[in-house]
Amino acid sequence: MDAMEADAASAGAERADARRVVLFDFDGVLVRGDSYEMFLRERFARARWRLLPLLPLLPFVPLLLRTVRGKMWLARACTRLATLGCSEARFRAQADAFGRALARRPRAFLREGVTALRRHLAAGDRVLIVSATEETLLGAILDELGLDAVERIGTRVRAGLFGIRAVPHNYGATKLRSLAERGIVPVWAAAYSDSLADLPMLAGAERAVLVNPSPRALVRFGRSLGERVQVAYWG
């Protein structure tokens, strides 16, 4: 590469870096429900015996779901049980197939969310989908939806002796570390989420958009984020 080409490449990188950064959560913002939970449910439905170790935990599930740490622990336990004995290659193949099938379901997506994402792309913004969903599943859904060019950060996984494990689970404050690995640090122009777990991501935004928040979540978000909060009700 000669000097002129190097200068052109450097200028292009600077222009790319100058774009407004806009972050989207995935589940509950672009797709209805929890895509990874739906994937695990299908695996449990095919082998119900995998649910047996979870039965003693059922009375404690509502308590676990109240906290970020509880949700993370429950997600790890369910993933291990649902993927016990599954190789990484087989897991990725099944996640890819499920994701593509999910993307073809009627009303699988929040149309307003996808429209908002496309609007930011059209405006020249750098859009990233930052999700706790496993990366293969996330990629399959987006590719099938025609959003294959959109940057995405999902949960990376590895196979172990006791099933698939996250390395790490891209959830809560971990999303900030995942973004920092790409050189993206606060403040970003906007962030969209429906989850209290994404308060760290929303706190780094000039404009924090809450999607379909419950009254309780709205109060909590409002206390933490103040006037930056905007609310979007998407059907």
Side-chain angles (χ1 to χ4, degrees):
M1 179 183 293
D2 60 28
M4 291 183 63
E5 290 175 335
D7 289 343
S10 177
E14 289 178 1
R15 285 195 298 271
D17 289 344
R19 289 181 297 167
R20 290 174 7 118
V21 172
V22 177
L23 309 178
F24 279 80
D25 185 25
F26 186 62
D27 297 317
V29 174
L30 300 175
V31 67
R32 296 182 190 278
D34 186 314
S35 55
Y36 190 64
E37 180 182 324
M38 288 186 272
F39 171 63
L40 292 182
R41 284 178 181 272
E42 182 181 81
R43 289 192 58 85
F44 281 128
R46 292 183 177 183
R48 296 185 182 278
W49 59 267
R50 294 178 182 272
L51 286 168
L52 294 178
L54 287 176
L55 294 180
L57 294 176
L58 289 181
F60 305 101
V61 168
L63 295 175
L64 291 170
L65 292 176
R66 290 181 183 178
T67 65
V68 172
R69 287 188 177 182
K71 288 179 181 178
M72 292 178 67
W73 185 91
L74 189 60
R76 285 196 298 268
C78 289
T79 295
R80 292 294 183 92
L81 291 172
T83 62
L84 189 64
C86 186
S87 69
E88 188 173 326
R90 184 183 176 194
F91 171 85
R92 293 190 184 281
Q94 291 177 344
D96 182 86
F98 179 84
R100 294 184 184 279
L102 175 63
R104 294 191 291 269
R105 292 180 186 175
R107 288 183 54 78
F109 296 91
L110 294 166
R111 187 179 302 275
E112 298 95 330
V114 177
T115 298
L117 185 147
R118 293 188 186 278
R119 188 181 300 120
H120 281 292
L121 290 173
D125 296 333
R126 182 181 181 183
V127 177
L128 295 95
I129 296 171
V130 191
S131 174
T133 295
E134 189 274 328
E135 61 181 0
T136 302
L137 176 62
L138 176 64
I141 295 171
L142 293 174
D143 292 351
E144 193 69 22
L145 192 61
L147 296 173
D148 47 299
V150 177
E151 292 184 72
R152 73 288 303 262
I153 305 175
T155 292
R156 298 188 296 271
V157 298
R158 293 289 182 271
L161 292 175
F162 301 102
I164 297 295
R165 61 187 179 88
V167 287
H169 189 191
N170 194 45
Y171 186 71
T174 302
K175 291 186 177 184
L176 299 188
R177 294 193 289 274
S178 299
L179 287 163
E181 289 174 1
R182 298 198 180 196
I184 300 172
V185 295
V187 175
W188 29 79
Y192 294 76
S193 180
D194 70 322
S195 173
L196 284 169
D198 278 335
L199 268 174
M201 186 174 81
L202 291 164
E206 293 176 349
R207 183 167 66 95
V209 183
L210 314 180
V211 179
N212 298 335
S214 67
R216 174 177 171 273
L218 187 56
V219 170
R220 173 78 180 276
F221 279 126
R223 284 201 302 261
S224 301
L225 303 173
E227 295 182 355
R228 287 174 293 162
V229 172
Q230 296 182 14
V231 179
Y233 291 103
W234 294 339

